[in-house]
Amino acid sequence: MDFVTKKIGKFNLISITNNILDKNLVEQIYNKFKKTDFAINCENVESFKDYSTVNLIYSLNIPLIIGAPHLISQASILGQDKFPKIYINDFDFVNDKRMLVKRRFKVV
């Protein structure tokens, strides 16, 4: 397994142990936890593998917990017109507070 699960109340927080979050890992997590409320904690993640990973996260409506600004920027750029639900920490996810909104980037 490339992830560890932590339960807070009725929510499952999945922490990724890999440096790179890829599409296969997202599919494994979704298939295991799709019937529960869960979020992927990207504290140890340094980057997303490619745009299909971000698009899959968006299409499956999976919330992410990201504290690193470079990872938020990468999600915004790779997602193009789509942007996944992103929270800064576990507390914000559990209480459904302070969700980040899409920032518009232009490549010059």
Side-chain angles (χ1 to χ4, degrees):
M1 289 280 167
D2 294 329
F3 57 89
V4 178
T5 305
K6 178 172 123 179
K7 190 154 178 84
I8 298 178
K10 66 175 186 169
F11 301 101
N12 289 309
L13 299 175
I14 293 95
S15 296
I16 306 298
T17 56
N18 291 350
N19 291 340
I20 298 175
L21 183 60
D22 64 347
K23 187 176 178 178
N24 295 332
L25 185 56
V26 172
E27 287 173 344
Q28 284 178 357
I29 291 170
Y30 181 74
N31 289 333
K32 185 168 183 175
F33 295 100
K34 63 185 169 187
K35 297 186 188 227
T36 63
D37 290 328
F38 72 96
I40 298 176
N41 187 348
C42 298
E43 184 177 290
N44 298 327
V45 175
E46 293 177 7
S47 67
F48 297 105
K49 185 167 184 174
D50 54 6
Y51 73 93
S52 64
T53 304
V54 176
N55 286 335
L56 180 64
I57 290 169
Y58 177 79
S59 67
L60 296 176
N61 203 20
I62 299 173
L64 299 175
I65 299 170
I66 300 177
H70 70 278
L71 205 56
I72 296 169
S73 300
Q74 186 183 14
S76 180
I77 291 170
L78 287 177
Q80 298 166 357
D81 60 335
K82 301 170 184 166
F83 192 66
K85 293 180 180 179
I86 296 179
Y87 296 91
I88 298 297
N89 58 31
D90 319 5
F91 182 77
D92 291 342
F93 169 68
V94 171
N95 294 314
D96 197 24
K97 303 274 184 184
R98 298 188 302 178
M99 186 170 64
L100 293 180
V101 295
K102 170 127 172 91
R103 300 290 181 223
R104 299 186 189 269
F105 290 98
K106 290 186 179 181
V107 179
V108 181

